[in-house]
Amino acid sequence: MGAAGSSAEDEREPLLAPPHADPAGPPAHSRVYGRRWLVLSLFSLLAFMQGMVWNFWGPIQSSAARAFGFTGSDIALLVLWGPAGFGPWLLFMWLMDKKGLRASLLLSAFFMLLGSALRSIPLTELPLRRWLIHGGHLLNGLAGPTIMSAGPFLSTTWFAPDQRATATAVASLFCYLGSAASFLVGPQVVPAPNGTGVPAAAVTAVSDAFIRDRIQLVMYAELSAIAVLFAAVLLYFPSRPPQPPSVAAASQRLSYRSSICRLLSNMRFLMVALAYAVPSGVMAGWGGVLDMVLTPAKVSQVG
């Protein structure tokens, strides 16, 4: 009983606590602003589009192979650019800590906009076009560290304590919803090369050029949506409200370097990180190539 009680008390302690915290000090004057829902909506929609762009090619891999000459390795590499974008994650976390949420989100939105623009350039030379598509997806992957990790920071900065769980859940789940939406949008707009979902009399009319045009249409639509969201973030997305919503939001931050070192040496944090990273990695690796895995089982991209 004593050991269990001690363990429970340890679990209630924060992973990182300010060394000179004064719990008896007067709380900062706090206020919750209605604009927090606009900030959450803009962030969540950007996360939705980032996930949708990342998982663009997997659900239509048969059409992509026919229209652009993609191989299975190309599709797998396009999916891999998402996790590869997490390579410089320390740099993005430093930017968020030092420059605030606005600067880091603007940079991520710019990467998404530039990447979507590169892959949407309608070149006729397919080898060069494939290079631009791969480069565009790498840039979209570089937006991942901020999109996937800024949800708790946003909820702490803008929301009251009793709303943080909801705000964090919404901000964190929209990226996954975008990935799921790509399974619906792509196959519904882009026809399968074997004519699945097309009337029998019109099967011969589904040419490579028609498939390419439909893929181009979806890419233009996603580029337009990202451009609108980038403009909205550029016009209005403050890093923080004029007054903090809680004492936690107003508390002094720890040193970035020392906090990283302390976290990486904290076994409880490493266990939590592992519990999140393993299922997320399995989901990302499996979901992105799901259509390619099921194709040999005679399951087409439209069902």
Side-chain angles (χ1 to χ4, degrees):
M1 290 295 290
S6 176
S7 176
E9 290 179 1
D10 290 342
E11 291 177 356
R12 294 190 184 98
E13 295 179 0
L15 292 176
L16 293 178
H20 302 294
D22 183 13
H29 181 65
S30 61
R31 179 182 174 186
V32 178
Y33 294 84
R35 71 191 78 168
R36 68 192 186 280
W37 298 110
L38 174 61
V39 172
L40 178 62
S41 298
L42 288 175
F43 179 87
S44 300
L45 290 174
L46 269 176
F48 183 90
M49 294 308 304
Q50 200 270 342
M52 200 170 185
V53 170
W54 167 75
N55 197 34
F56 179 83
W57 297 101
I60 58 169
Q61 57 91 21
S62 298
S63 300
R66 186 71 179 270
F68 295 101
F70 281 158
T71 64
S73 299
D74 285 316
I75 300 298
L77 185 58
L78 286 167
V79 174
L80 181 63
W81 290 132
F86 281 78
W89 64 274
L90 279 174
L91 176 63
F92 290 104
M93 298 305 101
W94 174 88
L95 180 65
M96 191 186 308
D97 183 63
K98 297 300 182 181
K99 303 299 182 181
L101 189 57
R102 174 179 171 81
S104 57
L105 192 63
L106 267 177
L107 179 62
S108 297
F110 176 74
F111 282 150
M112 292 171 57
L113 180 63
L114 181 59
S116 296
L118 284 178
R119 69 174 193 156
S120 300
I121 299 176
L123 296 178
T124 55
E125 297 83 358
L126 292 184
L128 180 57
R129 182 73 190 275
R130 287 199 293 270
W131 276 103
L132 290 178
I133 290 173
H134 279 284
H137 276 260
L138 174 59
L139 288 172
N140 184 74
L142 288 173
T146 299
I147 293 295
M148 296 291 289
S149 62
F153 182 49
L154 185 148
S155 64
T156 302
T157 304
W158 281 92
F159 286 83
D162 59 338
Q163 298 174 341
R164 284 182 200 157
T166 300
T168 301
V170 171
S172 302
L173 288 177
F174 260 72
C175 188
Y176 297 101
L177 289 178
S179 302
S182 62
F183 284 102
L184 298 176
V185 175
Q188 290 300 318
V189 178
V190 180
N194 59 2
T196 304
V198 180
V203 168
T204 57
V206 182
S207 63
D208 293 356
F210 179 76
I211 294 175
R212 196 177 299 117
D213 289 342
R214 301 298 285 182
I215 293 176
Q216 193 72 35
L217 175 64
V218 180
M219 288 195 291
Y220 281 148
E222 293 182 352
L223 172 61
S224 301
I226 292 173
V228 171
L229 290 172
F230 175 78
V233 172
L234 185 62
L235 290 174
Y236 184 80
F237 195 94
S239 290
R240 59 181 61 86
Q243 294 180 357
S246 64
V247 176
S251 61
Q252 184 178 2
R253 302 287 178 180
L254 295 174
S255 167
Y256 179 76
R257 180 182 300 178
S258 63
S259 61
I260 288 293
C261 294
R262 290 172 63 184
L263 281 175
L264 293 180
S265 61
N266 189 303
M267 184 57 63
R268 288 189 296 156
F269 168 77
L270 295 177
M271 294 299 293
V272 171
L274 185 66
Y276 171 78
V278 170
S280 296
V282 172
M283 186 282 300
W286 174 258
V289 296
L290 181 61
D291 185 70
M292 188 166 59
V293 172
L294 295 178
T295 296
K298 308 300 181 183
V299 178
S300 72
Q301 66 188 38
V302 294

